[in-house]
Amino acid sequence: MGWFVGAQPWVDWTWVADHRELILDRLREHVELTLVAVVIGILIATPLVLVSRRWRGVYPVVLTTTGILYTIPSLALFTLLLPWTGLTRTTALVGLVSYTLLILIRNAVTGLDAVPADVREAAQGMGYSRGRALVAVELPLALPAIVAGIRLALVTTVGLVTVAALIGHGGLGHLILDGLNRRFRTPLVVGSVLSVALAAMADVVLLRVQRRLSPWKAGG
Amino acid sequence: MRTRRLLLALLVAVGLTAAACSDSDNDPSVSSGDGDATTTTAAGEVVGAPISFVPLDPGAVTFEALENGDVDMALLFSTQGVIAEKGWVVLEDDMTLQGSDNLIPLVRTEVADDTVTETLNAVSAALDTETLTELNRRVDSDKEDTEAVARDFLTEAGLLEGDAASGGASLTVGSANFSEAEIVAQMYTLALEHAGYAVELKAQLGSREVLVPALESGEIDIEPEYLQSLLAFLDENTESVTPDEGVALAADLLPDGLSVLEPSPAQDQNAIVVTAETAEKLGLTKVSDLKQVTDALKMAGPPECPERPLCIPGYEEVYGLQFDV
Amino acid sequence: MDLLRDVVEWFGDRASWRGSDGLVHLLAQHVWLSAAAVAISCAIALPIGLGLGHARRGEVFAVNVANIGRALPSFAVLVFALQLLSIGTGPALVALVVLAVPVMVTNAYVAMAGVEDDLREAARGMGMSGWQLFRRVELPLAMPLVMAGVRTAAVQVVATATLAALVGYGGLGLLILRGLRTRDDVEVFAAALTVAVLALITEVVLAGVQRLLTPRGIRRITEVPAMAPVIDPNI
């Protein structure tokens, strides 16, 4: 059990040194896919959030649609996109972006809704237009929740990218997949450790941003 | 209070029942049918219990499953080096289900100019089954890179001599999702690059069902194929053919725009493999011996096996074996 | 759309349901795996989360463990577990438990820690022992949030159990994997639809269980704090 090809070390450092470039390439691909997906997610989510706040009837629809996209297993979603966009990066991105939408929209709307009614009324009383009130008053107060959403989106996207290796664009997931196919520990360990580190880093950095934006809260 | 307790009890009862009714020993691959019973085929023969199929990607996971005894037999490829290494037994294909599965380049006719054709044919000619087996072993067991192994082979075969040319067109080589396909695709890539082409390699794309459409759509230009299996994919009623017959048949069956080049002497076909212990215990030397086995067996194979004419459906038809799929 | 029509036909075809790669068998496998994973995770996570919350200790750990858990891609955990265990149930269970436990721990802790101090003091004042405090005051109050964690985790587990097919366990993921390899979109769509429906059923059933386990007197709509977000995608 586990000793099939002779005792393998968990990390063969020679292999790591020899494949430095491959590892860095995959790391770069992973970071790129994650950032691009979340940025596109934010770009799509923003108008949806604004529309949801303006016309409350829209929110349930938006929530349900993105919610459904959510329960579709990632592997299935990627696979179903193949006929449309082929084994390209676009397929991976479309799938990844879909999963960020629910997180981003839900957190933003919840954050904006949490702005106390008196604050909103005060802004209105001071003659702020709807738009100005949003930008100058509500947004800053909702920022911690919005950032929390971005944080969550980033961390989960890092994980989803690994699965995208099965459709050819999975960054560090390819190292993990190689480890699976060849029962080869080194790329598995390297790929896994790096993805966890990437996710952890994204989490910590954004957590700090989140805390800075809400100094009055003890945490989160 | 009482309703709550009642409901909890009900939930527990349902849970226990579900657990009891689930597959024995939490084993996902044992069918819930009879274990040791024999069944009678339409031809009136008495055969053993249906063989359970465990889908696993070809490669080290399957090797390990066989090694550990998680499965009794595995559908492997005849050139996988681990077979000889572990002293495993390949069950002889006594009713010749598998034809000549010679390695052969499948290309988009449009890109197959003289240089491309010559280069790829040279690679094919230099390969044989033994070499292929050794290269597989280096990648799957020794964990070497497919590119390094391909390069070594080409260098030794003298196919990378002289300066590399340049200025050729752009090409894309694709490969299926197993080591050998990637190794051969690497060979094509390196050889074509040496001949001056700008080549992109898209490896591990999936199985034939992904690759052939990718060729048709132009997403890839070249991929290594296996003659008999390709023919079976194009027309499931194809019979076993010799390489020459196969090439002629392929010209008929292939969609417009695709063509095969020359077949290589190297062959790789599906093979049912068991460990030496199992072969001895059950008295297996050839595939038809399986019919006499009454124990319920488990076989590992690629997920697409139930749909491949040269895989489960073939074994069912030609050998009269029964799988519980 | 052609695809939808084909999918409906697929469901209507009896062959799709029978055999060891038929819907009945795979669905049963999938449900069994998910249920086992959730049960094991509860058995691990709830004592830890509830215990720490009751004792008001280990806040940093308990509050952050969900974050840490989220950073572990299930695919990686799955393959890692395969290094140590045989193909099939083992690695799948490990990966799903690792997925579910962190969320449950954090939610359980936050739920318990959220019981106001005056309430606890009042209960103590009435002569309740620690255990009585836990059972009659804290647990009922914490139940909604604890169950929210279980629900979230369960839905994630159901969706992520599809990855188990990669290590030789069957389940609905097998149809997806095979459909990916052989470009059979009908199979993939049908399987994905089934998983989504299963996830929905899981959510509804557990919401029902939550309602039943919450004493009528304190049934209320619970606000889930932003730090323990309700939904994670199926990785």
Side-chain angles (χ1 to χ4, degrees):
Chain A
M1 178 176 86
W3 299 121
F4 170 65
V5 277
Q8 263 190 72
W10 283 96
V11 181
D12 176 356
W13 292 104
T14 326
W15 188 93
V16 175
D18 287 340
H19 293 82
R20 224 177 19 238
E21 212 178 286
L22 169 70
I23 296 174
L24 286 175
D25 271 345
R26 290 303 188 188
L27 182 59
R28 202 175 315 136
E29 182 186 354
H30 206 116
V31 171
E32 249 177 58
L33 280 168
T34 308
L35 289 178
V36 172
V38 173
V39 165
I40 296 179
I42 294 175
L43 291 175
I44 297 179
T46 308
L48 288 172
V49 167
L50 294 174
V51 165
S52 298
R53 303 214 70 232
R54 189 71 155 78
W55 292 282
R56 291 312 298 213
V58 174
Y59 189 42
V61 176
V62 169
L63 216 53
T64 314
T65 320
T66 49
I68 289 176
L69 278 176
Y70 222 71
T71 48
I72 301 175
S74 48
L75 191 53
L77 185 57
F78 289 137
T79 308
L80 290 171
L81 291 168
L82 286 178
W84 273 274
T85 41
L87 288 160
T88 58
R89 227 173 79 124
T90 313
T91 309
L93 277 175
V94 171
L96 293 169
V97 168
S98 314
Y99 288 113
T100 63
L101 291 179
L102 179 64
I103 305 171
L104 293 171
I105 294 176
R106 212 187 135 108
N107 270 48
V109 171
T110 310
L112 287 167
D113 280 350
V115 171
D118 12 349
V119 174
R120 251 181 273 148
E121 275 163 33
Q124 243 180 348
M126 279 161 64
Y128 279 40
S129 72
R130 212 192 208 105
R132 191 143 176 247
L134 177 68
V135 174
V137 177
E138 295 180 357
L139 201 55
L141 286 174
L143 216 44
I146 294 175
V147 172
I150 298 178
R151 188 175 125 221
L152 182 57
L154 276 171
V155 172
T156 49
T157 304
V158 169
L160 283 168
V161 171
T162 60
V163 178
L166 289 157
I167 55 152
H169 295 273
L172 298 165
H174 287 281
L175 295 174
I176 299 173
L177 193 57
D178 192 24
L180 171 65
N181 288 338
R182 290 203 280 166
R183 280 297 228 146
F184 190 5
R185 290 184 176 174
T186 307
L188 166 62
V189 172
V190 172
S192 306
V193 168
L194 286 178
S195 359
V196 173
L198 204 57
M201 211 171 67
D203 195 57
V204 164
V205 167
L206 277 236
L207 186 57
R208 221 164 263 175
V209 171
Q210 197 179 315
R211 291 241 173 94
R212 282 267 206 89
L213 292 170
S214 53
W216 59 86
K217 285 203 189 143
Chain B
M1 268 302 265
R2 228 189 302 155
T3 346
R4 253 194 298 147
R5 290 235 178 94
L6 216 64
L7 198 77
L8 268 171
L10 187 65
L11 276 172
V12 170
V14 170
L16 285 174
T17 324
C21 289
S22 72
D23 295 331
S24 42
D25 295 331
N26 308 334
D27 194 320
S29 45
V30 172
S31 71
S32 40
D34 9 62
D36 264 38
T38 57
T39 51
T40 313
T41 63
E45 301 172 351
V46 174
V47 298
I51 303 171
S52 277
F53 178 62
V54 179
L56 286 177
D57 276 339
V61 184
T62 308
F63 304 159
E64 171 119 356
L66 187 60
E67 172 90 345
N68 286 347
D70 292 328
V71 294
D72 304 292
M73 16 188 238
L75 192 100
L76 299 178
F77 305 134
S78 53
T79 51
Q80 286 177 307
V82 63
I83 299 176
E85 200 181 304
K86 290 280 158 188
W88 290 343
V89 174
V90 173
L91 297 184
E92 189 195 323
D93 181 25
D94 51 309
M95 302 191 69
T96 40
L97 164 65
Q98 317 288 347
S100 10
D101 242 340
N102 297 65
L103 201 50
I104 191 168
L106 178 61
V107 303
R108 291 203 310 127
T109 322
E110 184 173 64
V111 308
D113 62 28
D114 288 341
T115 317
V116 169
T117 310
E118 249 176 63
T119 312
L120 293 180
N121 285 340
V123 173
S124 299
L127 270 173
D128 60 37
T129 309
E130 265 167 46
T131 313
L132 209 47
T133 307
E134 173 57 16
L135 296 176
N136 279 334
R137 197 199 60 76
R138 282 172 63 182
V139 168
D140 280 333
S141 301
D142 291 348
K143 317 298 188 197
E144 289 187 52
D145 285 344
T146 54
E147 189 188 332
V149 153
R151 190 182 294 277
D152 282 351
F153 166 75
L154 290 176
T155 315
E156 266 176 47
L159 292 171
L160 289 179
E161 249 147 58
D163 296 322
S166 62
S170 293
L171 296 170
T172 311
V173 175
S175 93
N177 59 325
F178 55 101
S179 301
E180 179 176 287
E182 194 181 324
I183 296 172
V184 178
Q186 288 278 11
M187 287 181 198
Y188 291 174
T189 306
L190 293 170
L192 288 169
E193 272 176 350
H194 189 80
Y197 295 87
V199 188
E200 187 193 342
L201 173 64
K202 291 189 180 177
Q204 305 274 340
L205 292 178
S207 57
R208 196 166 285 118
E209 287 85 347
V210 179
L211 291 162
V212 174
L215 272 170
E216 290 181 275
S217 73
E219 218 178 315
I220 57 176
D221 298 309
I222 300 165
E223 62 120 352
E225 263 297 349
Y226 299 88
L227 190 51
Q228 189 75 52
S229 300
L230 177 62
L231 294 172
F233 173 74
L234 295 169
D235 173 8
E236 39 178 64
N237 299 316
T238 324
E239 297 182 338
S240 284
V241 292
T242 65
D244 290 328
E245 290 170 344
V247 173
L249 195 50
D252 277 339
L253 294 175
L254 281 170
D256 286 333
L258 298 185
S259 44
V260 290
L261 302 182
E262 276 169 31
S264 165
Q267 280 193 47
D268 177 15
Q269 48 257 96
N270 290 341
I272 297 186
V273 175
V274 295
T275 59
E277 294 82 44
T278 312
E280 212 182 294
K281 188 179 97 171
L282 298 174
L284 302 171
T285 52
K286 43 198 202 302
V287 178
S288 29
D289 288 340
L290 286 171
K291 273 203 301 200
Q292 314 308 326
V293 174
T294 49
D295 301 0
L297 296 174
K298 281 188 264 174
M299 182 176 93
E304 57 269 17
C305 189
E307 274 144 49
R308 290 292 177 72
L310 293 181
C311 205
I312 286 180
Y315 286 110
E316 285 181 330
E317 196 187 306
V318 172
Y319 285 95
L321 294 176
Q322 301 237 313
F323 291 84
D324 68 351
V325 179
Chain C
M1 239 173 51
D2 279 339
L3 182 60
L4 288 175
R5 200 180 353 116
D6 289 336
V7 170
V8 172
E9 241 177 72
W10 186 92
F11 276 111
D13 182 4
R14 294 188 82 208
S16 307
W17 295 78
R18 283 189 292 186
S20 78
D21 68 341
L23 205 49
V24 174
H25 188 240
L26 296 179
L27 192 56
Q29 283 185 320
H30 200 104
V31 169
W32 184 91
L33 182 67
S34 307
V38 171
I40 295 174
S41 304
C42 283
I44 297 175
L46 295 183
I48 296 177
L50 295 172
L52 287 176
H54 170 80
R56 297 289 208 264
R57 294 174 120 201
E59 178 179 357
V60 172
F61 163 73
V63 157
N64 286 306
V65 71
N67 279 348
I68 298 169
R70 254 195 301 274
L72 299 171
S74 293
F75 182 35
V77 176
L78 185 68
V79 179
F80 234 100
L82 185 60
Q83 288 289 330
L84 303 166
L85 304 165
S86 298
I87 55 161
T89 319
L93 267 181
V94 168
L96 292 174
V97 167
V98 168
L99 177 65
V101 161
V103 173
M104 289 190 198
V105 168
T106 298
N107 270 41
Y109 177 85
V110 170
M112 289 295 280
V115 175
E116 282 130 15
D117 288 329
D118 344 357
L119 273 168
R120 283 160 47 104
E121 272 165 41
R124 291 289 201 166
M126 279 164 60
M128 284 192 192
S129 70
W131 172 248
Q132 287 175 317
L133 168 67
F134 173 76
R135 207 181 148 260
R136 288 149 116 218
V137 178
E138 293 180 315
L139 192 55
L141 285 170
M143 190 55 71
L145 192 47
V146 170
M147 281 305 296
V150 172
R151 255 164 58 209
T152 308
V155 169
Q156 271 174 258
V157 163
V158 166
T160 311
T162 50
L163 289 180
L166 290 167
V167 292
Y169 187 85
L172 296 167
L174 177 57
L175 290 177
I176 297 175
L177 187 63
R178 200 168 67 192
L180 168 64
R181 302 272 190 238
T182 59
R183 303 300 308 110
D184 185 349
D185 289 330
V186 177
E187 230 179 29
V188 175
F189 198 104
L193 192 60
T194 312
V195 173
V197 168
L198 202 58
L200 198 65
I201 293 177
T202 308
E203 166 87 28
V204 167
V205 165
L206 288 179
V209 170
Q210 177 180 328
R211 195 162 306 152
L212 284 161
L213 291 178
T214 310
R216 204 161 293 145
I218 55 171
R219 259 178 219 168
R220 61 168 190 246
I221 302 186
T222 310
E223 209 61 56
V224 178
M227 87 169 122
V230 176
I231 304 207
D232 281 336
N234 35 72
I235 296 174

